[in-house]
Amino acid sequence: AQTVTQSQPEMSVQEAETVTLSCTYDTSESNYYLFWYKQPPSRQMILVIRQEAYKQQNATENRFSVNFQKAAKSFSLKISDSQLGDTAMYFCAFMGRNDYKLSFGAGTTVTVRA
Amino acid sequence: SAVISQKPSRDICQRGTSLTIQCQVDSQVTMMFWYRQQPGQSLTLIATANQGSEATYESGFVIDKFPISRPNLTFSTLTVSNMSPEDSSIYLCSVETSGRADTQYFGPGTRLTVL
Protein backbone atom coordinates (compact mmCIF):
# COMPACT_ATOMS: atom_id res chain seq x y z
CA ALA A 1 0.00 0.00 0.00
CA GLN A 2 1.08 3.53 -0.66
CA THR A 3 1.97 5.76 2.28
CA VAL A 4 0.19 9.07 2.69
CA THR A 5 1.35 11.44 5.43
CA GLN A 6 -0.53 14.38 6.88
CA SER A 7 1.70 15.98 9.47
CA GLN A 8 -0.80 18.49 10.87
CA PRO A 9 -3.33 16.83 13.22
CA GLU A 10 -5.23 20.09 13.79
CA MET A 11 -5.50 23.52 12.20
CA SER A 12 -7.51 26.54 13.25
CA VAL A 13 -8.39 29.48 11.03
CA GLN A 14 -10.41 32.64 11.35
CA GLU A 15 -13.46 32.96 9.15
CA ALA A 16 -12.60 34.55 5.75
CA GLU A 17 -8.92 33.73 6.18
CA THR A 18 -6.86 31.19 4.26
CA VAL A 19 -5.51 27.88 5.55
CA THR A 20 -3.17 25.40 3.89
CA LEU A 21 -3.08 21.70 4.70
CA SER A 22 -0.04 19.63 3.87
CA CYS A 23 0.16 16.13 2.46
CA THR A 24 3.07 14.04 1.26
CA TYR A 25 3.00 10.58 -0.23
CA ASP A 26 5.33 7.82 -1.22
CA THR A 27 5.00 5.91 -4.49
CA SER A 28 7.08 4.40 -7.25
CA GLU A 29 4.29 4.86 -9.78
CA SER A 30 4.39 7.62 -12.37
CA ASN A 31 0.65 7.78 -13.10
CA TYR A 32 -1.80 8.10 -10.22
CA TYR A 33 -4.52 10.27 -8.73
CA LEU A 34 -4.62 12.37 -5.60
CA PHE A 35 -7.66 13.52 -3.69
CA TRP A 36 -8.78 15.61 -0.78
CA TYR A 37 -11.90 14.44 1.00
CA LYS A 38 -13.77 16.32 3.70
CA GLN A 39 -15.56 14.61 6.58
CA PRO A 40 -17.76 16.92 8.68
CA PRO A 41 -19.26 15.77 11.98
CA SER A 42 -22.07 14.13 10.02
CA ARG A 43 -19.33 11.61 8.99
CA GLN A 44 -20.22 11.81 5.28
CA MET A 45 -17.06 11.67 3.18
CA ILE A 46 -17.26 14.41 0.57
CA LEU A 47 -14.89 14.74 -2.37
CA VAL A 48 -13.32 18.19 -2.32
CA ILE A 49 -10.81 18.09 -5.16
CA ARG A 50 -9.02 15.68 -7.46
CA GLN A 51 -5.64 15.86 -9.20
CA GLU A 52 -4.28 13.68 -11.98
CA ALA A 53 -0.55 13.16 -11.65
CA TYR A 54 0.14 13.54 -15.35
CA LYS A 55 -1.39 17.02 -15.37
CA GLN A 56 0.99 19.74 -14.32
CA GLN A 57 -1.76 22.28 -13.81
CA ASN A 58 -2.99 22.50 -10.25
CA ALA A 59 -6.65 21.62 -9.74
CA THR A 60 -9.07 24.22 -8.37
CA GLU A 61 -12.67 23.98 -7.19
CA ASN A 62 -14.11 27.33 -6.17
CA ARG A 63 -12.38 28.26 -2.89
CA PHE A 64 -10.31 25.09 -2.83
CA SER A 65 -7.04 24.72 -4.70
CA VAL A 66 -4.06 22.43 -4.55
CA ASN A 67 -0.32 22.84 -4.92
CA PHE A 68 0.88 19.63 -6.56
CA GLN A 69 4.62 19.13 -6.57
CA LYS A 70 5.21 15.76 -8.26
CA ALA A 71 8.96 15.62 -7.80
CA ALA A 72 8.63 16.39 -4.11
CA LYS A 73 5.59 14.08 -3.80
CA SER A 74 3.68 16.84 -2.13
CA PHE A 75 -0.01 17.69 -2.47
CA SER A 76 -1.21 20.56 -0.29
CA LEU A 77 -4.75 21.94 -0.08
CA LYS A 78 -5.50 25.64 0.24
CA ILE A 79 -8.87 26.76 1.52
CA SER A 80 -9.48 30.43 0.73
CA ASP A 81 -12.10 32.66 2.32
CA SER A 82 -12.76 30.03 4.99
CA GLN A 83 -16.37 29.55 6.02
CA LEU A 84 -17.85 28.02 9.15
CA GLY A 85 -19.14 25.13 7.05
CA ASP A 86 -15.57 24.21 6.19
CA THR A 87 -15.09 22.90 9.72
CA ALA A 88 -14.34 19.20 9.23
CA MET A 89 -11.68 16.54 9.12
CA TYR A 90 -9.77 16.64 5.83
CA PHE A 91 -8.18 13.52 4.39
CA CYS A 92 -5.58 13.34 1.67
CA ALA A 93 -5.80 10.17 -0.44
CA PHE A 94 -3.81 8.39 -3.14
CA MET A 95 -5.07 6.08 -5.86
CA GLY A 96 -2.86 4.10 -8.21
CA ARG A 97 -3.60 4.29 -11.89
CA ASN A 98 -4.74 0.72 -12.26
CA ASP A 99 -5.95 -0.62 -8.93
CA TYR A 100 -8.61 1.89 -7.89
CA LYS A 101 -7.73 1.45 -4.20
CA LEU A 102 -7.65 4.55 -2.05
CA SER A 103 -4.92 4.97 0.58
CA PHE A 104 -5.71 7.68 3.12
CA GLY A 105 -3.63 9.90 5.32
CA ALA A 106 -4.37 10.25 9.03
CA GLY A 107 -6.41 13.39 8.51
CA THR A 108 -6.26 17.03 9.62
CA THR A 109 -9.01 18.55 11.72
CA VAL A 110 -9.82 22.06 10.53
CA THR A 111 -11.78 24.40 12.78
CA VAL A 112 -13.03 27.68 11.36
CA ARG A 113 -13.58 30.32 14.05
CA ALA A 114 -16.27 32.97 13.76
CA SER B 1 -22.07 11.66 -8.88
CA ALA B 2 -24.25 8.72 -7.79
CA VAL B 3 -26.60 8.88 -4.82
CA ILE B 4 -25.51 6.29 -2.27
CA SER B 5 -27.49 5.15 0.74
CA GLN B 6 -26.56 2.85 3.61
CA LYS B 7 -28.70 0.98 6.09
CA PRO B 8 -28.67 1.07 9.03
CA SER B 9 -27.19 4.49 9.73
CA ARG B 10 -26.20 3.32 13.19
CA ASP B 11 -26.62 0.33 15.45
CA ILE B 12 -25.67 -0.92 18.88
CA CYS B 13 -25.02 -4.66 18.99
CA GLN B 14 -24.08 -7.27 21.52
CA ARG B 15 -20.81 -9.13 21.49
CA GLY B 16 -20.95 -12.37 19.48
CA THR B 17 -23.75 -11.30 17.16
CA SER B 18 -23.60 -10.32 13.49
CA LEU B 19 -24.79 -7.26 11.61
CA THR B 20 -25.40 -6.86 7.89
CA ILE B 21 -24.94 -3.41 6.38
CA GLN B 22 -26.54 -2.55 3.07
CA CYS B 23 -25.26 -0.18 0.40
CA GLN B 24 -27.61 0.93 -2.36
CA VAL B 25 -26.72 3.11 -5.36
CA ASP B 26 -29.21 4.89 -7.59
CA SER B 27 -27.38 3.90 -10.78
CA GLN B 28 -25.25 1.04 -12.02
CA VAL B 29 -21.62 1.32 -10.97
CA THR B 30 -18.56 -0.60 -12.01
CA MET B 31 -16.88 -1.02 -8.65
CA MET B 32 -17.95 -0.93 -5.03
CA PHE B 33 -15.73 -0.88 -1.98
CA TRP B 34 -16.07 -1.26 1.78
CA TYR B 35 -13.98 0.76 4.25
CA ARG B 36 -13.65 0.78 8.01
CA GLN B 37 -12.95 3.87 10.07
CA GLN B 38 -12.07 3.07 13.66
CA PRO B 39 -12.67 5.77 16.27
CA GLY B 40 -10.44 8.77 15.67
CA GLN B 41 -8.68 7.02 12.81
CA SER B 42 -8.45 7.24 9.07
CA LEU B 43 -10.17 4.94 6.59
CA THR B 44 -8.90 1.47 5.79
CA LEU B 45 -10.05 -0.54 2.79
CA ILE B 46 -11.66 -3.84 3.77
CA ALA B 47 -12.45 -5.27 0.36
CA THR B 48 -13.57 -4.69 -3.18
CA ALA B 49 -17.07 -6.04 -3.82
CA ASN B 50 -17.10 -7.79 -7.18
CA GLN B 51 -20.36 -8.32 -9.00
CA GLY B 52 -21.01 -12.00 -9.59
CA SER B 53 -17.86 -13.25 -7.88
CA GLU B 54 -16.16 -13.37 -4.52
CA ALA B 55 -14.95 -10.13 -2.98
CA THR B 56 -11.27 -9.25 -2.98
CA TYR B 57 -10.03 -8.72 0.57
CA GLU B 58 -7.15 -6.57 1.76
CA SER B 59 -4.46 -7.83 4.07
CA GLY B 60 -5.79 -8.27 7.58
CA PHE B 61 -9.40 -8.83 6.55
CA VAL B 62 -10.93 -12.26 5.92
CA ILE B 63 -14.14 -13.49 4.38
CA ASP B 64 -15.25 -15.40 7.48
CA LYS B 65 -15.26 -12.20 9.51
CA PHE B 66 -16.49 -9.79 6.81
CA PRO B 67 -18.55 -11.68 4.23
CA ILE B 68 -19.59 -9.46 1.33
CA SER B 69 -22.22 -9.93 -1.32
CA ARG B 70 -22.82 -8.02 -4.53
CA PRO B 71 -25.75 -9.54 -6.40
CA ASN B 72 -26.02 -6.74 -8.99
CA LEU B 73 -24.49 -3.46 -10.13
CA THR B 74 -26.40 -1.28 -7.66
CA PHE B 75 -26.32 -3.17 -4.35
CA SER B 76 -23.86 -4.70 -1.90
CA THR B 77 -23.88 -5.93 1.68
CA LEU B 78 -21.15 -6.22 4.29
CA THR B 79 -21.65 -8.48 7.28
CA VAL B 80 -19.63 -8.02 10.44
CA SER B 81 -19.64 -11.46 12.04
CA ASN B 82 -19.14 -12.62 15.62
CA MET B 83 -18.65 -9.04 16.72
CA SER B 84 -16.40 -7.84 19.52
CA PRO B 85 -15.96 -4.31 20.93
CA GLU B 86 -12.92 -3.90 18.64
CA ASP B 87 -15.33 -3.93 15.68
CA SER B 88 -16.87 -0.68 16.84
CA SER B 89 -16.27 1.61 13.87
CA ILE B 90 -17.86 3.52 11.06
CA TYR B 91 -18.29 1.33 8.00
CA LEU B 92 -18.50 3.12 4.66
CA CYS B 93 -19.20 1.91 1.18
CA SER B 94 -17.87 3.75 -1.83
CA VAL B 95 -18.50 3.45 -5.53
CA GLU B 96 -16.48 4.15 -8.60
CA THR B 97 -18.78 5.11 -11.42
CA SER B 98 -18.17 4.10 -14.97
CA GLY B 99 -18.54 7.70 -15.98
CA ARG B 100 -15.60 8.78 -13.85
CA ALA B 101 -13.51 5.66 -13.70
CA ASP B 102 -10.94 7.03 -11.30
CA THR B 103 -12.89 8.68 -8.51
CA GLN B 104 -14.75 7.17 -5.57
CA TYR B 105 -17.83 8.59 -3.94
CA PHE B 106 -18.86 7.55 -0.46
CA GLY B 107 -22.07 6.59 1.23
CA PRO B 108 -23.11 8.24 4.51
CA GLY B 109 -21.60 5.47 6.63
CA THR B 110 -22.89 3.12 9.33
CA ARG B 111 -21.82 3.77 12.90
CA LEU B 112 -21.52 0.46 14.73
CA THR B 113 -21.08 0.15 18.47
CA VAL B 114 -20.45 -3.29 19.97
CA LEU B 115 -21.04 -3.74 23.69
Side-chain angles (χ1 to χ4, degrees), chain A residues 29-58:
Chain A
E29 300 182 43
S30 58
N31 291 324
Y32 48 87
Y33 304 95
L34 295 163
F35 306 86
W36 280 97
Y37 283 89
K38 165 186 174 181
Q39 187 178 41
S42 67
R43 76 174 178 266
Q44 172 85 54
M45 289 288 286
I46 302 166
L47 178 64
V48 175
I49 202 165
R50 168 184 175 276
Q51 175 79 42
E52 300 172 34
Y54 63 87
K55 289 187 176 180
Q56 293 189 346
Q57 185 175 5
N58 290 323

Side-chain angles (χ1 to χ4, degrees), chain B residues 15-70:
Chain B
R15 177 196 300 262
T17 63
S18 298
L19 176 72
T20 295
I21 302 168
Q22 299 178 3
C23 180
Q24 178 76 54
V25 192
D26 69 341
S27 59
Q28 293 185 343
V29 295
T30 53
M31 303 182 80
M32 297 180 76
F33 305 87
W34 287 98
Y35 290 83
R36 181 177 72 181
Q37 186 178 25
Q38 295 177 298
Q41 303 294 314
S42 186
L43 281 74
T44 301
L45 179 64
I46 297 172
T48 302
N50 301 310
Q51 195 267 327
S53 64
E54 194 170 282
T56 304
Y57 290 84
E58 297 301 303
S59 177
F61 297 96
V62 296
I63 188 171
D64 289 346
K65 176 67 176 177
F66 298 101
I68 288 171
S69 76
R70 189 175 174 195

Side-chain angles (χ1 to χ4, degrees), chain A residues 7-103:
Chain A
S7 59
Q8 304 152 312
E10 298 181 7
M11 300 281 284
S12 181
V13 61
Q14 193 72 32
E15 194 174 11
E17 301 277 299
T18 294
V19 63
T20 299
L21 311 182
S22 66
C23 173
T24 59
Y25 57 94
D26 184 26
T27 184
S28 58
E29 300 182 43
S30 58
N31 291 324
Y32 48 87
Y33 304 95
L34 295 163
F35 306 86
W36 280 97
Y37 283 89
K38 165 186 174 181
Q39 187 178 41
S42 67
R43 76 174 178 266
Q44 172 85 54
M45 289 288 286
I46 302 166
L47 178 64
V48 175
I49 202 165
R50 168 184 175 276
Q51 175 79 42
E52 300 172 34
Y54 63 87
K55 289 187 176 180
Q56 293 189 346
Q57 185 175 5
N58 290 323
T60 63
E61 289 286 344
N62 300 315
R63 298 181 295 106
F64 298 88
S65 61
V66 298
N67 183 2
F68 174 48
Q69 301 290 326
K70 189 172 184 179
K73 297 181 181 175
S74 170
F75 183 60
S76 62
L77 174 70
K78 184 171 76 173
I79 307 173
S80 303
D81 186 25
S82 297
Q83 301 175 1
L84 296 177
D86 295 333
T87 293
M89 176 82 86
Y90 287 79
F91 291 97
C92 178
F94 173 100
M95 179 192 288
R97 182 67 178 87
N98 296 313
D99 65 11
Y100 305 112
K101 298 177 184 178
L102 280 170
S103 297

